[in-house]
Amino acid sequence: MAFDWTFVFTWEALLVSALGSALGIVWGAMPGLSSNMAVALMVGFTYKLSPEIAIVFLIAVWVGTEFGGAISAILINIPGTPSAVPTQMAGYPLALRGEGGLAIGTALMFSMLGNWAGLIALVAFVPIMIAIALQFTVWEMFLLVMLGVAISGTLTGREKPIKGWAMGWFGLMIAMVGKDLIHGVDRFTYDINELRAGIKSLPVLIGLFGLTEALNVLSKKQHKAVPSKVGRIIPPVSYIGKYWKTALRSSAVGTIIGAIPGAGANIAAFVSYTLGEQASGKKFSEGDVEGVICGEVANNANVGGGLLPTMTLGIPGNSSSALIIAALALHGIIVGPNINHDHPGFMYFLYATLLVANFFMYTTAFAVVKPSVYLLTLPVAVVMPMVIMFALVGTFAATFSMFDVSIMFCAGLIGFVLLRHGYPFAPLILGVILGPLADESLRKTIWIFEGKYEELLFRPIGIILFVGVIWSFYYGIKRSRRETKRLDAEMAPISK
């Protein structure tokens, strides 16, 4: 299927992008409604749309939610999205001083700049990444998937990387369910006919990011006071000249971390926030627009950074880009090294889509920020049941299968239990999305190199990827032991 980038500038696509951006901003502003949840729930509703319109809409929603989370984070001290926590830490004290509108306006202006940085990086490095990826054989593709799952588990598991690795393997196991495409053998089907076709990734994603998050928010008690006045929103243009170094550093952090499988915008925002404090010598938690800039630039640059490995390697850089992979697959578009050959013009179409989404994110924000403040007063008990309903309808709309709806509910309930015990979802999502690729690549490697496995030891790219997998496990174990020693040292005086 060929794509024409000029379609993005038709009135139909522009309208859809504007509506998607507005929806994303409002959605992100409401506490507990993350960008992952927004994209996951909207994927199902795009099934009947053309691929072009579906992509324009989902990208606009994603970009909008990355900024929208800053609204509730600044005004009511409750981040609308996980990546908005650093914005909350630096922005809420400003709201208490009556500068909430200025903080939101600053977040908006620098969110736009962060999106630009991510887009420029995407355009610059896609040809290089594709050229490298075209050198990969099935052995390298298998190792690349393993590297992505291992790194994701190491980073998201924090002091207990074993939890991240376990979730990655759990995701790979889910992907193995169904009929083996090479020998036609049923695997983990237990004589259930519906499982022979495998477990689709979309119901699992909607369950984890929709139902699980809704149940998690409903289980918490949140008390929030919404300010009656927001104040001035448009920030001084002089901020760009004053904080350009901060924006540049945060853009680099967001883009680079976005390209790391499973790292996500929340890690990018926290790293950027920490580096900003070290570079400035300030304590952002006392209220400082520079802290807001650090967080917002990084989590928005993360969009372009996350799409870089997603489009060129088929390895999602973050959870939202994993959902984009699922949405594209729903419309018959398979991303990876051959994207330009299989779907001519797609990358230029994506660039134009991001450009337009960034524009509408900035322009529509001024219209929807103040109305969004009033939506913050809606009780969670009203909002979350609506999210659950969207999850159910979206899943059924995508596949017209009640079995998939059952899978969604099972994934949501299991995800809720896992979330409560501190298990990260990013490795699980990578495993579910990339499991079929890993399975097929390993099986083909065994078949192609049968009797001559020693040749695998002399493939440079394969050696680099294999060392990366080993290093990821080593680093995770080392960091876990260091954290355990630190905690023991802190507890020693208390025990005495």
Side-chain angles (χ1 to χ4, degrees):
M1 177 181 179
F3 286 81
D4 180 7
W5 64 271
T6 60
F7 175 82
V8 179
F9 298 96
T10 62
W11 69 267
E12 182 182 9
L14 292 173
L15 178 62
V16 168
S17 185
L19 291 174
S21 296
L23 174 62
I25 293 170
V26 173
W27 185 283
M30 301 181 70
L33 302 186
S34 67
S35 57
N36 294 331
M37 186 190 296
V39 178
L41 296 182
M42 292 300 107
V43 166
F45 291 100
T46 64
Y47 177 68
K48 289 295 184 180
L49 300 177
S50 68
E52 294 89 347
I53 290 295
I55 295 167
V56 168
F57 179 69
L58 291 174
I59 292 293
V61 169
W62 182 11
V63 170
T65 53
E66 290 298 343
F67 161 70
I71 298 175
S72 58
I74 292 170
L75 294 181
I76 61 175
N77 204 30
I78 300 176
T81 59
S83 60
V85 172
T87 303
Q88 165 202 359
M89 295 163 61
Y92 183 63
L94 292 173
L96 295 178
R97 299 203 296 259
E99 300 175 10
L102 180 62
I104 291 175
T106 302
L108 173 59
M109 181 168 66
F110 283 90
S111 291
M112 181 184 67
L113 295 178
N115 277 321
W116 272 108
L119 175 57
I120 291 171
L122 184 65
V123 173
F125 290 103
V126 156
I128 300 173
M129 292 289 288
I130 288 181
I132 295 174
L134 287 173
Q135 305 302 314
F136 286 17
T137 65
V138 287
W139 171 237
E140 283 80 16
M141 290 306 299
F142 167 73
L143 289 176
L144 186 64
V145 173
M146 292 299 101
L147 179 62
V149 173
I151 291 178
S152 179
T154 299
L155 294 178
T156 58
R158 296 184 175 88
E159 68 274 6
K160 293 184 178 180
I162 187 67
K163 288 187 174 182
W165 298 332
M167 290 293 278
W169 307 143
F170 183 37
L172 291 171
M173 187 181 73
I174 292 175
M176 297 300 112
V177 174
K179 189 176 291 294
D180 166 32
L181 296 179
I182 295 180
H183 295 107
V185 178
D186 290 342
R187 300 181 298 187
F188 308 113
T189 57
Y190 306 104
D191 293 326
I192 300 175
N193 288 330
E194 289 85 351
L195 286 179
R196 287 176 178 164
I199 296 178
K200 300 181 181 69
S201 59
L202 185 59
V204 176
L205 297 178
I206 294 177
L208 291 176
F209 291 124
L211 183 58
T212 294
E213 294 296 335
L215 294 175
N216 185 48
V217 173
L218 284 171
S219 66
K220 298 177 180 178
K221 293 183 179 179
Q222 295 183 337
H223 304 281
K224 52 183 184 289
V226 181
S228 57
K229 293 184 178 180
V230 176
R232 171 185 173 178
I233 294 178
I234 301 176
V237 180
S238 60
Y239 274 11
I240 296 177
K242 185 177 181 180
Y243 296 112
W244 69 270
K245 290 183 180 179
T246 300
L248 190 62
R249 180 184 61 247
S250 301
S251 297
V253 170
T255 303
I256 293 171
I257 292 180
I260 299 174
N266 52 338
I267 294 177
F270 272 106
V271 171
S272 178
Y273 183 91
T274 303
L275 291 177
E277 282 193 323
Q278 294 174 353
S280 66
K282 301 177 184 178
K283 191 174 182 180
F284 292 156
S285 58
E286 295 176 354
D288 197 304
V289 292
E290 188 172 357
V292 173
I293 292 169
C294 287
E296 289 304 302
V297 171
N299 66 37
N300 281 274
N302 189 265
V303 173
L307 287 172
L308 182 58
T310 303
M311 296 300 149
T312 58
L313 302 175
I315 307 292
N318 48 49
S319 298
S320 293
S321 55
L323 292 162
I324 295 297
I325 287 181
L328 293 174
L330 194 65
H331 291 278
I333 303 169
I334 306 301
V335 296
N338 294 316
I339 185 70
N340 287 333
H341 179 269
D342 296 339
H343 305 284
F346 176 80
M347 292 308 303
Y348 293 104
F349 179 86
L350 181 65
Y351 302 152
T353 299
L354 287 167
L355 178 68
V356 171
N358 192 25
F359 170 78
F360 280 119
M361 183 271 293
Y362 186 75
T363 54
T364 59
F366 292 107
V368 301
V369 162
K370 291 192 175 181
S372 297
V373 174
Y374 298 105
L375 291 176
L376 298 177
T377 61
L378 288 175
V380 169
V382 172
V383 177
M384 291 305 153
M386 294 173 61
V387 170
I388 295 174
M389 181 191 71
F390 277 129
L392 192 156
V393 175
T395 303
F396 185 77
T399 61
F400 296 101
S401 168
M402 285 306 299
F403 180 75
D404 285 344
V405 173
S406 302
I407 292 294
M408 185 274 293
F409 273 108
C410 289
L413 294 175
I414 293 172
F416 178 69
V417 175
L418 292 172
L419 184 65
R420 280 308 181 91
H421 287 83
Y423 286 87
F425 285 165
L428 172 61
I429 298 305
L430 282 177
V432 171
I433 293 286
L434 302 176
L437 174 62
D439 177 35
E440 182 181 357
S441 298
L442 179 60
R443 303 282 292 281
K444 287 183 177 179
T445 298
I446 295 173
W447 178 63
I448 294 172
F449 292 93
E450 185 177 3
K452 47 183 178 180
Y453 296 121
E454 66 279 1
E455 292 184 11
L456 297 175
L457 301 175
F458 300 96
R459 304 183 67 84
I461 297 178
I463 292 173
I464 293 172
L465 294 173
F466 184 76
V467 171
V469 173
I470 300 301
W471 176 86
S472 180
F473 287 121
Y474 168 77
Y475 175 77
I477 294 171
K478 183 179 179 180
R479 188 179 64 174
S480 178
R481 289 179 177 177
R482 185 169 61 244
E483 185 68 17
T484 301
K485 290 180 180 179
R486 185 184 66 82
L487 292 174
D488 290 343
E490 291 179 356
M491 293 298 294
I494 299 177
S495 61
K496 293 179 179 179

